[in-house]
Amino acid sequence: MSTIVAGHFQLQDEIDHARRELVRAGFSEDRISAFFLNQPGQHDQTPIGGDNMQSPGAKETPEGVLQGAATGGALGVAVGAATAFVTGPAGPIVGGLVGAHVGSLFSLSKMKDAGEKEEGSNANRYEPRQSGMLIAVAADQPDQEARAIDVLRGLGSHHIERAKGTIEGGDWTDFDPLSLPVLVQ
């Protein structure tokens, strides 16, 4: 496993130029990998597509809906029972059903807005990788790492990150698009 230094660019021409400059700086062509990185959420990591089986912001939805329905149902039954002399024996039943429905809808209104942070989530501590072209080079020695960073920085890379991994035959074999990037300062 090597230290991988990766730089983000927007255009294929920039990647081609970066590859030539890395080779000129002494890196072997088969230790350089370049590819397009999809947008967050579109990495096809699950059998149904996407990155997660469940939306990270929706993990508390079933419990919230049940709590809202139970609370609303209990209040509806109480109101229906209190008005049973007017509504008859169906009052508590109808009140419970209506209350459960309204309660479940109210709980949906309490859900997080898009982009709102979740407490305790690693996804909120770091920015995910943005889509675009990525070029990565394996650096086995500390001087190679510094040289790769200098080349990518000099070419105007948008973000430069450091990772551990394996590049063989021009392919970053163990790249994980969902891993948290460690940006180089």
Side-chain angles (χ1 to χ4, degrees):
M1 193 168 279
S2 303
T3 296
I4 307 286
V5 176
H8 297 254
F9 294 94
Q10 288 300 313
L11 303 174
Q12 181 66 45
D13 290 342
E14 294 172 316
I15 291 293
D16 295 340
H17 181 65
R19 181 184 297 275
R20 288 190 301 274
E21 291 300 315
L22 287 167
V23 169
R24 189 179 318 181
F27 293 97
S28 172
E29 183 75 33
D30 68 332
R31 305 281 283 162
I32 300 171
S33 178
F35 52 93
F36 182 80
L37 183 62
N38 289 336
Q39 295 179 28
Q42 297 183 358
H43 297 113
D44 202 25
Q45 297 289 306
T46 66
I48 61 170
D51 292 346
N52 303 300
M53 289 301 287
Q54 183 178 18
S55 175
K59 70 181 181 184
E60 298 167 2
T61 301
E63 293 86 9
V65 170
L66 286 175
Q67 288 174 351
T71 303
L75 289 173
V77 166
V79 169
T83 60
F85 65 91
V86 174
T87 60
I93 296 169
V94 172
L97 292 173
V98 170
H101 179 68
V102 171
S104 67
L105 293 177
F106 178 74
S107 70
L108 290 176
S109 72
K110 303 296 264 180
M111 289 174 58
K112 295 176 186 67
D113 289 327
E116 187 177 341
K117 296 181 189 269
E118 274 187 72
E119 289 183 32
S121 170
N122 283 341
N124 298 310
R125 295 190 190 132
Y126 303 94
E127 286 294 316
R129 289 182 177 93
Q130 298 302 308
S131 65
M133 296 299 298
L134 185 73
I135 188 163
V137 60
D140 296 318
Q141 305 297 323
D143 66 315
Q144 288 180 324
E145 181 180 341
R147 196 168 0 136
I149 291 170
D150 288 343
V151 168
L152 294 174
R153 194 172 276 147
L155 295 172
S157 174
H158 300 279
H159 293 55
I160 300 174
E161 64 180 82
R162 182 183 293 117
K164 290 289 185 190
T166 305
I167 295 179
E168 294 175 340
D171 209 13
W172 188 350
T173 58
D174 51 1
F175 175 71
D176 179 7
L178 302 181
S179 65
L180 298 175
V182 177
L183 297 180
V184 173
Q185 301 299 326

